[in-house]
Amino acid sequence: MTVTEGPESARVELAAGGSLQGAIEGDVRVFRAVPYAEPPVGALRWRPARPHPGWEGVRDATVDGPSAPQMSVEGGDPVLGGHGAPPFDDDCLTLNVWTPAAAGAARPVLVWIHGGGFVSGSGSLPLYSGETFARDGDLVVVSVNYRIGPLGYLYPGEKDGDPAGNFWLTDQLAALRWVKENIAAFGGDPDLVTVAGQSGGAVSTAALAGHPEARELFRRVILQSPPFGLRLPTPAEYQERTEAYLDIAGVDSVEQLRALPWQLLIGAGGGLFAKTMRWGYWPTPFLPVVDDITLSRHPAQTLLHGAATDIDVLIGWTREEATFGFALDEAHAAATKEQVVARLADTFGDDGAAEAYAAYARSRPGARPADVLMDLISDELFRVPCLELAEARAALGRPVWAYQFDLPTPAYEGRLGAAHCLELPFVFDNFDAWSHAPFLAGLDPRVRDGLARTMHRAWIAFIRTGDPNHPEMPAWERYDQRTRTTMRFDSVVGAVGDLAGPVRRLYAARGRSRS
């Protein structure tokens, strides 16, 4: 397995035969649209991923391939400005690789799994370019395209005569196996792999950690804003969604679905989106399913069992996660106290809702009902389950570092605060790729760039050593049950003891009251 480098391009000989012709972009060599599994088309729709058979000769790897089919909003959305762009196609199981220009010793590897609410995103987006990590950290970076929306998350179950599901997970496992077999050809160390993801990608990352092969495939995980508060259905519970989807698509069986063009499948997914929306809850028309075949437990629990306890964990959240989806929506921004108390009752019970409202209002002086609602959704879906994982890892004496991203954006008169996804351009330190994103408007470049350098270097340090500390930031201790150290990323970066103490105690009291 070798890399042939020239002034204009790079060529890689893969382990299983065949070659890739990449290109130089900036200071790194890039190999795009590399197939890692057979195209999941025709009879292979809603089937587990199969290894790609390979090819003879030299394959061009200089142009991105299609992204997974998904809805695309013309003009983008008001927060990110878009999270997926054509071309889309069923034949999407490819990955991109970035490697430093200089050959040398085996380098640590970062595998990035994009998020997007299980319905959007792509590993080929410029937002997730591995160039900065490869260049600044001397890393090999891999980003993965996998099936999303109905093609990846629909659970056919008995409708297909085959109980297999979670096709997205089989895709990601196939990609990691490809990395294990081939990454040395790109200068990467197959025994020093970190898997990282954000939002739905962080759920994927945790789910992968629970797979029996995980310890052979990667050593560390970075979980950015995982929505571990989602309740995941069993196969029996998912059947209602499957039936609803078939009805919207106008068919009676999964076999009939296989005959439809993907555009109609995505359109039917939009119908399921509308059908499953509830006020005060993050919309998730498609979800992973705990099927005891591909996924044996909720991903929030995987890192607390078996060999997964040995995996190094970096986990964190943004202070105002929920504003991403709700702050600009009038139906939520205009919430009344009565509405919010009723929503709180779902979590704290009728007897505890008023007290919980008062606790949230005290934590944010001058809070409007909508502010309490934003904090509730943020905590319930993201922050509290992340804290619970950190607490449980600490109780086991296993390594875990925790952070909270606090820097608010001034966009939209500050209504978004430190919203979901806001940490991404700081972690990648690639603001030029985010110039289209409305939620970055108005950030002070000096504060922005300084914080980005600090976070980017911390992620590199963790990927390389399993410890995020580096000389350009304050000391960051592991999370334990004595100090509960959490790194606060803001205009001033600093470690804080029990940063989320009030909300942690509020939810702990809820648990005790229900036990």
Side-chain angles (χ1 to χ4, degrees), residues 401-419:
W401 279 263
Y403 73 88
Q404 178 171 298
F405 184 87
D406 270 21
L407 184 71
T409 173
Y412 296 106
E413 297 81 42
R415 282 185 282 166
L416 295 176

Side-chain angles (χ1 to χ4, degrees), residues 55-81:
W55 57 89
E56 295 182 1
V58 180
R59 182 185 180 96
D60 179 75
T62 60
V63 180
D64 286 326
S67 298
Q70 59 195 274
M71 289 185 286
S72 182
V73 180
E74 187 174 353
D77 65 84
V79 180
L80 287 183

Side-chain angles (χ1 to χ4, degrees), residues 317 383 403-404 406 484 486-488 496-502:
W317 55 90
R383 183 158 67 160
Y403 73 88
Q404 178 171 298
D406 270 21
R484 295 186 167 91
T486 305
M487 185 57 69
R488 184 183 182 195
V496 180
D498 205 10
L499 175 61

Side-chain angles (χ1 to χ4, degrees), residues 266-308:
I266 298 302
L272 190 61
F273 195 104
K275 193 177 183 67
T276 56
M277 287 186 71
R278 296 169 62 196
W279 188 91
Y281 288 88
W282 205 291
T284 50
F286 298 99
L287 287 165
V289 57
V290 181
D291 61 356
D292 290 325
I293 299 173
T294 54
L295 189 62
S296 61
R297 55 172 54 94
H298 195 296
Q301 299 294 316
T302 57
L303 289 153
L304 304 176
H305 298 273

Side-chain angles (χ1 to χ4, degrees), residues 332-346:
H332 291 90
T336 66
K337 182 177 179 179
E338 291 73 21
Q339 285 178 302
V340 177
V341 169
R343 171 64 179 82
L344 279 159
D346 291 349

Side-chain angles (χ1 to χ4, degrees), residues 476-514:
W476 186 352
E477 301 297 330
R478 281 166 50 167
Y479 189 100
D480 61 41
Q481 292 185 305
R482 182 179 60 85
T483 63
R484 295 186 167 91
T485 299
T486 305
M487 185 57 69
R488 184 183 182 195
F489 289 112
D490 202 340
S491 55
V492 176
V493 177
V496 180
D498 205 10
L499 175 61
V503 71
R504 180 180 60 79
R505 289 186 288 272
L506 176 65
Y507 278 76
R510 176 199 64 164
R512 287 192 295 270
S513 69
R514 293 186 174 187

